[in-house]
Amino acid sequence: MRGIGMGLARHGGVRLAGGGIPPLHWFELVGDVVLYSGSGATDWLGRPVLFDNADTWIMVYRQGAQHSYDADGMIHVRFSDDEGATWTEPDVDLNSNAVTGAPFVGHSTNDTADAIIFAAPNGDLLIHIAELQTGDAPRGTYQWRSTDGGTTWSDEGQINADGDLYGGQDFVVVGSEVYITTVSSAWASPMAAHLYKSADNGATWTFVSVIATTAENANEASIEYLDANRFLCVLRDSLNAKTYQRLSNDLGATWDVLTDVTASLSVLQRPRTRIVANEPNRIYLFGRDTYTSSYTVIYYSDDNGVTWSPPFRFSSIAYSDTGYCDMLQRSNGDYYLLSYTGTQASASIREYLFQASDGYTIIFLPSQDTAILKPSPTNNYGVATYLVTGENNNAVDRVWRTLIKFDLSILPDTTIVLAAKLRLRLSSELSSNSRTLRVYRLKRVWSEGSGNGSATGDGATWNKYDTLNNWQTAGGFGADDCEQTDIGALAFVANPVLNQFYELDLTTSAVKDWLDGDFANNGVLLMADVETDDNLGFDSRNHATVAYRPQLVIEYRL
């Protein structure tokens, strides 16, 4: 199956400015097509998985009447001998023979759910299919085996005769042993993640350990072999509020502390990891990003999960059901990812083709930032660990705004700006209303100051933009203080999810103006568009955790 240094690299390279933030590997999406759609009563197609079996790629996916339990669900298999450029008809091999055993349907009155496909050390192909009953109650995992490359499959029954062993999650092969991750629960919170292994090519499966307990309430564990008997797992939070990570140094016999990595990876469902042959030191992680809506997303790590890149989303369109996906790399270096898009009632298999491009990404940390507060108009917050916008919902007219500046001088004026995002980590909120946060370019040369909610007299406040000079309009939104048209905006719901990053796409021409000198780079003003019961608190550049600080991510060419 199946990372971060300073400096500049060609071909998808990254530069870092202002601190050691994980880089975003710059990808270019070159293909986005709906590959397969259903019809009639069974028009939900999803949860595709891929396996590279020497010269043949194999795709496995589910078709049913809906995302959850239904009596008509089935698992299909397709084959490709040209790295996904074309695929066979469902349940037909490359020689146009019907695949014996397929489509795979549930046993008794069970429905099919999650599936994985992999090769045992002896070369046999194995498919694991988790099955459900009414109400999404688990009915165990069933194993199918092929000894002829996928043309013929034999049903080997329920693994360990255990109806609570819900598999189809992820796998890794280490030497002569195969490891699989499972969910152990009644498919309702609290849930647990378990590890099993086989030393006899899948003939028997032995329980190894609990990756996450029901008290920890995590599931859908990915698994990756690092080196020296080390495993890395990334796990979904059963409450859909966090993402976790856990390491083992002894092939899963014991596990280190469960680590909350939501700040780096947002809120993921069905995280899966893969190392591709051409990049043996990089771990790719992909799945469903649910931090505001649902997207198919990919991250990578070059340091075994110590740090992760920012996300690459395959589409700006959010879907209510999407993101359980899988990826392979073509021989020319292009990446091939299958996901699905739609609703829980109807969805289609979607193909994304992307590649590393001859461009760069640079991630800036702020050179200065501060909040300003209306009822304390002479107080400065230049060394505070927080930035705030909007009005508190527990106090009248307690209105905050935020100033941030990024030093972009490292980029020449010949830079072609392709995209720019302001990333802010939300750490607190006192909001009762949905609200749009807007970004405005500042015209004033303001000072950060040394205050932490005190009148230090040396930085920007609600009344002044530096030690001596008043804003044209208190609060910094006068026409001489900042532009009156925003260069970026993001809608927030009331009581948004905390402790994760939110991204605001910025107008690329506005960023380019800063580089060209056509508009002085004095940073930006952040403010809510109404400022009534819509307080949002973000981590500032003074936060002790560097990865939590604001980021300006610019994709560009020279």
Side-chain angles (χ1 to χ4, degrees):
M1 289 185 60
R2 309 287 145 281
I4 295 196
M6 301 293 288
L8 176 64
R10 292 284 174 182
H11 195 68
V14 175
R15 299 171 76 172
L16 309 181
I21 296 296
L24 170 65
H25 188 90
W26 186 44
F27 294 117
E28 181 178 357
L29 187 66
V30 295
D32 175 1
V33 298
V34 172
L35 200 59
Y36 304 118
S37 297
S39 61
T42 55
D43 64 348
W44 189 94
L45 277 63
R47 302 176 190 163
V49 292
L50 294 165
F51 183 70
D52 184 355
N53 190 36
D55 295 327
T56 302
W57 284 12
I58 305 174
M59 175 203 313
V60 173
Y61 61 96
R62 180 181 180 272
Q63 180 175 9
Q66 59 183 354
H67 174 102
S68 302
Y69 173 85
D70 67 80
D72 298 322
M74 64 188 71
I75 301 294
H76 293 293
V77 60
R78 294 178 186 249
F79 301 84
S80 174
D81 59 3
D82 52 15
E83 299 182 322
T86 60
W87 292 92
T88 65
E89 292 299 310
D91 311 314
V92 174
D93 71 8
L94 289 168
N95 295 316
S96 301
N97 298 313
V99 174
T100 302
F104 309 97
V105 298
H107 294 74
S108 184
T109 58
N110 294 352
D111 181 31
T112 57
D114 299 292
I116 53 175
I117 179 172
F118 57 93
N122 69 349
D124 289 357
L125 293 176
L126 300 178
I127 292 179
H128 285 184
I129 301 174
E131 297 190 5
L132 297 170
Q133 260 292 345
T134 304
D136 287 347
R139 286 296 181 268
T141 301
Y142 290 79
Q143 179 169 285
W144 297 76
R145 183 184 300 268
S146 176
T147 59
D148 59 5
T151 297
T152 305
W153 294 87
S154 58
D155 181 358
E156 297 190 336
Q158 189 184 67
I159 294 176
N160 291 0
D162 184 354
D164 196 40
L165 193 160
Y166 186 90
Q169 303 304 302
D170 206 357
F171 75 95
V172 67
V173 178
V174 182
S176 61
E177 296 180 328
V178 185
Y179 293 80
I180 60 170
T181 61
T182 71
V183 178
S184 182
S185 73
W187 201 243
S189 181
M191 304 167 77
H194 289 180
L195 181 68
Y196 287 78
K197 74 175 182 179
S198 174
D200 53 13
N201 299 300
T204 60
W205 292 91
T206 304
F207 174 78
V208 178
S209 63
V210 176
I211 303 172
T213 66
T214 53
E216 292 166 326
N217 205 11
N219 67 92
E220 291 188 345
S222 71
I223 188 166
E224 193 57 70
Y225 181 73
L226 304 179
D227 53 29
N229 294 335
R230 293 193 300 156
F231 282 148
L232 169 69
C233 284
V234 180
L235 302 97
R236 170 184 175 176
D237 171 32
S238 301
L239 299 178
N240 298 322
K242 298 178 182 295
T243 301
Y244 296 107
Q245 186 169 291
R246 181 159 256 172
L247 286 166
S248 172
N249 296 308
D250 51 14
L251 291 176
T254 61
W255 295 89
D256 291 345
V257 64
L258 189 70
T259 304
D260 181 350
V261 289
T262 313
S264 299
L265 297 178
S266 188
V267 180
L268 291 180
Q269 294 180 7
R270 176 53 68 71
R272 277 184 173 162
T273 46
R274 187 174 297 277
I275 294 176
V276 298
N278 293 342
E279 299 170 282
N281 298 316
R282 172 165 292 171
I283 301 171
Y284 285 99
L285 170 68
F286 38 85
R288 176 194 292 172
D289 179 0
T290 61
Y291 94 116
T292 50
S293 299
S294 293
Y295 303 87
T296 299
V297 67
I298 189 169
Y299 297 82
Y300 76 88
S301 174
D302 286 336
D303 55 11
N304 290 331
V306 176
T307 55
W308 291 96
S309 71
F312 176 81
R313 289 183 182 168
F314 292 88
S315 172
S316 60
I317 301 173
Y319 297 91
S320 60
D321 199 7
T322 191
Y324 284 32
C325 56
D326 207 347
M327 183 188 85
L328 293 175
Q329 187 178 39
R330 288 178 168 172
S331 54
N332 68 354
D334 288 353
Y335 306 93
Y336 182 92
L337 185 139
L338 287 184
S339 185
Y340 69 99
T341 55
T343 69
Q344 293 210 348
S346 177
S348 301
I349 301 294
R350 199 173 198 103
E351 174 189 273
Y352 297 106
L353 185 63
F354 59 106
Q355 57 190 210
S357 286
D358 289 321
Y360 308 93
T361 294
I362 189 167
I363 302 175
F364 293 94
L365 300 182
S367 57
Q368 58 188 50
D369 62 20
T370 187
I372 56 176
L373 177 60
K374 184 175 183 180
S376 300
T378 62
N379 283 3
N380 173 261
Y381 296 83
V383 299
T385 59
Y386 53 86
L387 304 169
V388 193
T389 62
E391 184 199 43
N392 294 31
N393 64 3
N394 61 0
V396 176
D397 210 28
R398 189 173 177 80
V399 175
W400 297 81
R401 293 173 184 171
T402 281
L403 315 176
I404 307 180
K405 180 182 177 181
F406 299 89
D407 181 358
L408 309 181
S409 59
I410 194 173
L411 294 179
D413 58 10
T414 55
T415 299
I416 300 170
V417 178
L418 302 170
K421 295 179 183 291
L422 177 63
R423 303 186 75 234
L424 302 169
R425 184 179 185 269
L426 184 68
S427 54
S428 67
E429 59 88 20
L430 291 168
S431 64
S432 304
N433 294 318
S434 298
R435 195 66 74 224
T436 298
L437 179 64
R438 299 190 184 277
V439 183
Y440 300 90
R441 289 191 297 187
L442 283 162
K443 299 178 180 180
R444 302 291 193 184
V445 181
W446 54 279
S447 301
E448 181 179 50
S450 60
N452 192 4
S454 56
T456 54
D458 65 347
T461 66
W462 190 267
N463 286 344
K464 297 179 181 293
Y465 59 84
D466 60 13
T467 304
L468 301 174
N469 298 294
N470 291 332
W471 298 104
Q472 178 192 18
T473 302
F477 195 61
D480 292 339
D481 300 321
C482 71
E483 291 184 305
Q484 303 298 289
T485 301
D486 69 72
I487 65 166
L490 182 65
F492 284 81
V493 299
N495 307 123
V497 177
L498 298 180
N499 301 320
Q500 62 185 30
F501 273 93
Y502 290 80
E503 297 181 350
L504 292 84
D505 290 319
L506 303 184
T507 303
T508 55
S509 60
V511 176
K512 175 63 172 169
D513 286 345
W514 282 332
L515 303 181
D516 292 344
D518 293 340
F519 193 99
N521 178 16
N522 297 314
V524 294
L525 170 72
L526 275 64
M527 58 183 287
D529 60 353
V530 177
E531 299 182 322
T532 301
D533 295 341
D534 47 16
N535 171 291
L536 300 174
F538 304 95
D539 294 325
S540 79
R541 82 185 192 101
N542 300 305
H543 197 284
T545 302
V546 174
Y548 291 178
R549 298 173 187 175
Q551 302 171 21
L552 178 60
V553 182
I554 299 177
E555 298 173 7
Y556 68 100
R557 286 196 180 105
L558 294 176

